[in-house]
C-alpha cells in the first residue's frame, strides 16, 4: 500500500510539473485590433517624416516616431483599383486583369476567394470598410435604387460605408451595407458611362468650384463636374467637403460597437485624390493649395482616430498600418493649382515617376507600422509589398494558412524583426517590373502609350526595350544598364515570365 501511495504521489507531481512546463509554450493567440489607413495618391515624400515641405503632418509623424517607418515598402500597383485588389486578396492584380474601373463596374473580387477581411472574420474579428471602394459592385447592370450585391459585405466585411468608386466619378452617393444612403424613392438614380441623359438631373452651376478637363466634364454635382452621366438621387448626393467628418463618424461608431472583441477597420481615404475639396477647416493649412490642404486633412483624421483609441483604452492593443494605394500625381484632371503651387516640395522624394508610372515612385509609398509595446521605434529598409498583408496578418492572428500563390508571410519584416523582407517582388503599372534587392528590371511595353499621360506630363517609364537599374547607385532610375548587363536583365525577364505563367515568385 505504501509503495502504491508513493507511486501515486509521484505520478501526480510529474503531471503537475509537465502541465506547468507546457503552459508557457502555448500562449494564447495575439489578436490586436487592426486599422489600415489607406490614403489615396499619397506620394513617398508627401508627409513630414518622409521629407514633405509646405505641409505639416504632426499626427502621422508621431506614429512614425513611435513605430516603424519603412523606406522600401510598396503598394501592389501604380494605380488605385489594382492596388486595392492586391491588398485585399493577396494576389497580383494582373492575375484578374484588374484595371481602373468605371463607377458602374461589377464587383472585381471573386466572392469565392479568400480575402484579408474574410480571413480575419474567420479568426474572430469584426470587420469594416469605411471610405473609397473602387472595386466594383453587383453583377452586371447595377440598379442603384435597390439593395446592391455582391459588394464589400460579400467579400468579408461585416460593415461597409462606401464611396462606390471615386470622387471624380458618378454616382455621387454613399452606399451603406449595400443601400444608397438617403435615397428618395420618388427621385430614382440612373447612371450611365456610355451615353448622356437628356437631363442629368444634377445641380449645374455657371460658376464651378474648379475647372476640369473634358474627361471630367460630364455631370456636375456640388459645383464639381465628374466622369460619367447621372440623374436623380438629389437627396442622396454627397458634399465632398464633408468626407472627413462623415467617414470619421462612421469609423468611430464602428470602433465603439466592436470594442469588446478584436476588430479590423479598413479606413480607405478619398483624400488626396481629385477632386481635392478639403473642408473649410483645412483650406489654407498648407502652401501647396488644395492638394496640400487635403494632406493636412488626412493628418487630422489620423489624429482623431488615434486620440479616440487612447481615450477608450484601446491604443496599446491596436496595430495601425498607415500607407497609400499608389504614388503621387499633380495634374489629374482638375485645375486646382497643384502644379503651380508645388514650390520646393517633391512628392516622390528621390524617386522618379508617380501614379501610373513604372518608375519607383509609382509604387514606393509611405508606410508606417504603429503598435505600442510590440514594435520598437526604428527606420527599416526591408523590401515589402502590400500583397503580403493577407499571409502576414494571418500569421499574426494564428489563422489557418491560405493557399495563395502571391502573398508571403513577411510578418517579421512588418514588425521590424527582419531587416531584409522580400527577396523579390513584382511592381505593377501599365507593364510589370521586378525588384530583387537593389536591382530593378522593367520589362518592355509593347502597347501604345496613352496620350493623356503625355498631356499630364506623366513620367510613365514605358519603353519598347527592357530597363535595368541599380537603385543603390541610381535611385532616380536614370542609367539603363540592360545593354551592359544582358545576363542580369535576361534572367529577371525570365523570372517575370514564370510568374505571369502561374508560378510563385522565387
Amino acid at each position: 500500500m505504501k509503495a502504491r501511495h508513493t507511486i501515486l504521489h509521484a505520478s501526480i507531481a510529474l503531471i503537475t510539473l509537465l502541465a506547468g512546463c507546457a503552459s508557457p509554450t502555448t500562449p494564447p493567440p495575439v489578436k490586436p485590433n487592426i486599422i489600415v489607413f489607406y490614403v489615396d495618391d499619397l506620394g513617398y515624400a508627401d508627409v513630414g517624416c518622409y521629407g514633405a515641405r509646405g505641409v505639416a503632418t504632426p499626427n502621422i509623424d508621431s506614429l512614425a516616431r513611435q513605430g516603424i517607418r519603412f523606406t522600401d515598402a510598396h503598394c501592389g500597383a501604380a494605380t488605385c483599383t489594382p492596388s486595392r485588389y492586391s491588398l485585399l486578396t493577396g494576389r497580383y492584380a494582373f492575375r484578374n486583369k484588374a484595371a481602373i474601373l468605371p463607377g458602374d463596374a461589377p464587383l472585381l473580387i471573386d466572392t469565392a476567394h479568400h480575402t484579408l477581411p474574410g480571413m480575419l472574420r474567420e479568426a474572430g474579428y469584426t470587420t469594416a470598410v469605411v471610405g473609397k471602394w473602387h472595386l466594383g459592385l453587383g453583377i452586371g447592370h447595377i440598379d442603384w435604387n435597390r439593395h446592391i450585391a455582391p459588394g464589400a459585405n460579400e467579400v468579408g466585411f461585416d460593415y461597409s460605408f462606401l464611396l462606390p468608386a471615386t470622387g471624380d466619378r458618378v454616382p455621387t452617393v454613399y452606399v451603406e451595407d449595400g443601400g444608397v444612403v438617403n435615397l428618395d424613392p420618388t427621385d430614382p438614380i440612373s447612371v450611365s458611362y456610355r451615353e448622356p441623359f437628356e437631363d442629368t438631373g444634377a445641380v449645374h452651376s455657371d460658376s464651378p468650384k474648379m475647372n476640369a478637363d473634358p474627361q471630367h466634364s460630364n455631370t456636375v454635382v456640388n459645383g464639381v463636374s465628374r466622369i460619367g452621366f447621372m440623374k436623380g438621387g438629389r437627396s442622396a448626393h454627397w458634399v465632398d467637403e464633408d468626407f472627413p467628418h462623415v467617414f470619421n463618424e462612421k469609423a468611430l461608431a464602428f470602433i465603439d460597437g466592436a470594442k469588446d472583441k478584436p476588430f479590423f477597420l479598413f479606413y480607405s481615404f478619398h483624400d488626396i485624390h481629385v477632386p481635392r475639396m478639403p473642408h473649410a477647416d483645412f483650406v489654407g493649412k498648407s502652401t501647396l493649395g488644395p492638394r496640400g490642404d487635403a494632406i493636412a486633412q488626412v493628418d487630422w483624421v489620423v489624429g482623431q482616430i488615434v486620440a479616440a483609441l487612447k481615450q477608450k483604452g484601446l491604443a496599446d492593443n491596436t496595430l495601425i498600418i498607415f500607407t497609400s494605394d499608389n504614388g503621387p500625381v499633380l495634374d489629374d484632371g482638375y485645375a486646382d493649382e497643384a502644379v503651380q503651387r508645388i514650390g520646393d516640395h517633391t512628392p516622390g522624394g528621390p524617386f522618379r515617376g508617380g501614379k501610373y508610372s513604372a518608375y519607383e515612385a509609382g509604387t514606393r509609398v509611405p508606410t508606417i507600422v504603429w503598435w505600442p509595446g510590440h514594435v520598437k521605434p526604428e527606420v527599416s529598409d526591408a523590401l515589402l509589398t502590400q500583397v503580403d498583408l493577407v499571409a502576414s496578418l494571418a500569421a499574426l492572428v494564428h489563422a489557418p494558412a491560405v493557399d495563395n500563390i502571391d502573398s508571403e508571410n513577411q510578418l517579421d519584416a512588418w514588425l521590424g524583426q527582419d531587416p531584409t523582407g522580400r527577396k523579390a517582388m513584382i511592381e505593377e503599372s501599365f507593364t510589370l517590373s521586378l525588384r530583387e534587392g537593389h536591382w530593378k528590371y522593367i520589362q518592355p511595353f509593347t502597347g501604345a502609350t496613352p496620350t493623356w499621360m503625355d498631356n499630364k506630363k506623366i513620367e510613365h517609364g514605358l519603353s519598347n526595350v527592357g530597363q535595368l537599374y541599380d537603385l543603390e547607385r541610381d535611385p532616380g532610375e536614370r542609367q539603363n544598364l540592360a545593354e551592359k548587363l544582358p545576363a542580369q536583365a535576361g534572367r529577371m525577364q525570365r523570372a517575370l515570365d514564370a510568374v505571369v505563367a502561374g508560378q510563385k515568385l522565387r
Side-chain angles (χ1 to χ4, degrees), residues 26 54 188 212 228 242 268 300 318 381 432 467 495 502:
T26 55
D242 291 343
S268 181
W300 175 83
T318 300
D381 298 329
L432 295 180
Q467 302 170 69

Side-chain angles (χ1 to χ4, degrees), residues 211-232:
N211 293 324
D213 65 14
Q215 180 193 19
H216 293 81
S217 296
N218 297 147
T219 303
V220 178
V221 177
N222 188 33
V224 181
S225 58
R226 327 275 173 160
I227 301 171
F229 305 100
M230 173 182 172
K231 69 176 182 178

Side-chain angles (χ1 to χ4, degrees), residues 317-397:
N317 192 40
T318 300
L319 166 66
I320 290 177
I321 300 171
F322 174 93
T323 190
S324 175
D325 70 341
N326 52 246
V329 61
L330 299 182
D331 177 7
D332 209 13
Y334 293 88
D336 60 5
E337 297 188 307
V339 174
Q340 295 86 342
R341 299 183 63 173
I342 194 65
D344 59 356
H345 176 61
T346 55
F351 306 109
R352 192 175 181 184
K355 185 177 183 179
Y356 311 115
S357 176
Y359 289 131
E360 196 69 359
T363 64
R364 194 183 296 217
V365 290
T367 302
I368 298 165
V369 168
W370 180 87
W371 189 9
H374 295 269
V375 300
K376 297 178 181 179
E378 67 171 300
V379 176
S380 173
D381 298 329
L383 181 62
L384 295 179
T385 172
Q386 295 170 7
V387 174
D388 290 338
L389 282 176
V390 170
S392 301
L393 292 178
L396 175 68
V397 303

Side-chain angles (χ1 to χ4, degrees), residues 4-263:
R4 290 181 182 178
H5 185 74
T6 302
I7 292 171
L8 179 60
H9 274 278
S11 300
I12 294 172
L14 178 60
I15 293 169
T16 303
L17 176 62
L18 291 174
C21 291
S23 57
T25 65
T26 55
V30 176
K31 291 187 178 180
N33 305 313
I34 301 170
I35 297 177
V36 174
F37 286 124
Y38 210 48
V39 191
D40 201 309
D41 292 355
L42 189 73
Y44 180 85
D46 268 332
V47 294
C49 56
Y50 282 88
R53 298 186 178 184
V55 58
T57 55
N59 296 303
I60 298 167
D61 297 348
S62 178
L63 292 183
R65 283 194 306 273
Q66 299 170 29
I68 309 169
R69 179 171 67 84
F70 292 95
T71 65
D72 204 357
H74 295 253
C75 55
T79 50
C80 166
T81 298
S83 276
R84 292 161 193 274
Y85 176 86
S86 293
L87 183 148
L88 292 176
T89 66
R91 299 168 181 265
Y92 290 126
F94 72 79
R95 298 204 189 278
N96 198 29
K97 299 180 180 179
I100 302 171
L101 296 179
D104 62 349
L107 179 66
L108 182 63
I109 299 174
D110 188 334
T111 56
H113 285 170
H114 284 89
T115 64
L116 176 60
M119 175 274 293
L120 290 171
R121 184 163 67 180
E122 290 176 5
Y125 279 69
T126 302
T127 60
V129 53
V130 172
K132 177 181 170 179
W133 182 239
H134 208 184
L135 286 164
L137 294 169
I139 301 173
H141 174 73
I142 303 174
D143 184 347
W144 298 95
N145 307 289
R146 298 176 180 271
H147 182 76
I148 304 162
N153 298 80
E154 285 70 37
V155 297
F157 289 106
D158 295 306
Y159 173 73
S160 63
F161 186 89
L162 310 174
L163 264 68
T166 64
D168 62 347
R169 287 170 172 80
V170 299
T172 53
V173 297
Y174 299 117
V175 174
E176 186 172 28
D177 286 337
V180 172
V181 177
N182 295 328
L183 179 62
D184 180 356
T186 66
D187 184 27
I189 296 172
S190 296
V191 171
S192 173
Y193 274 77
R194 288 158 289 278
E195 297 179 358
F197 300 105
E198 291 184 7
D199 176 13
T200 64
V203 180
H204 290 268
S205 171
D206 294 329
S207 301
K209 294 179 179 179
M210 64 177 71
N211 293 324
D213 65 14
Q215 180 193 19
H216 293 81
S217 296
N218 297 147
T219 303
V220 178
V221 177
N222 188 33
V224 181
S225 58
R226 327 275 173 160
I227 301 171
F229 305 100
M230 173 182 172
K231 69 176 182 178
R234 291 178 181 83
S235 61
H237 289 175
W238 68 47
V239 176
D240 305 67
E241 294 89 341
D242 291 343
F243 284 166
H245 297 286
V246 171
F247 294 155
N248 265 15
E249 177 185 334
K250 298 299 180 180
L252 292 172
F254 167 74
I255 291 171
D256 277 341
K259 63 185 178 181
D260 293 331
K261 61 185 299 187
F263 65 79

Side-chain angles (χ1 to χ4, degrees), residues 408-473:
E408 293 184 2
N409 175 11
Q410 291 289 337
L411 181 63
D412 286 348
W414 282 97
L415 297 183
Q417 298 165 11
D418 172 10
T420 303
R422 274 266 190 165
K423 293 181 179 179
M425 181 196 76
I426 301 291
E427 297 179 18
E428 294 193 53
S429 58
F430 284 81
T431 188
L432 295 180
S433 305
L434 177 64
R435 280 286 309 278
E436 288 183 348
H438 58 88
W439 290 105
K440 164 88 170 277
Y441 175 76
I442 306 174
Q443 74 174 8
F445 177 72
T446 57
T449 304
T451 56
W452 56 264
M453 281 194 172
D454 295 326
N455 295 337
K456 295 179 181 181
K457 299 180 180 179
I458 302 293
E459 280 197 297
H460 49 69
L462 303 177
S463 173
N464 60 4
V465 299
Q467 302 170 69
L468 178 67
Y469 298 103
D470 181 351
L471 297 179
E472 189 172 56
R473 298 182 178 182

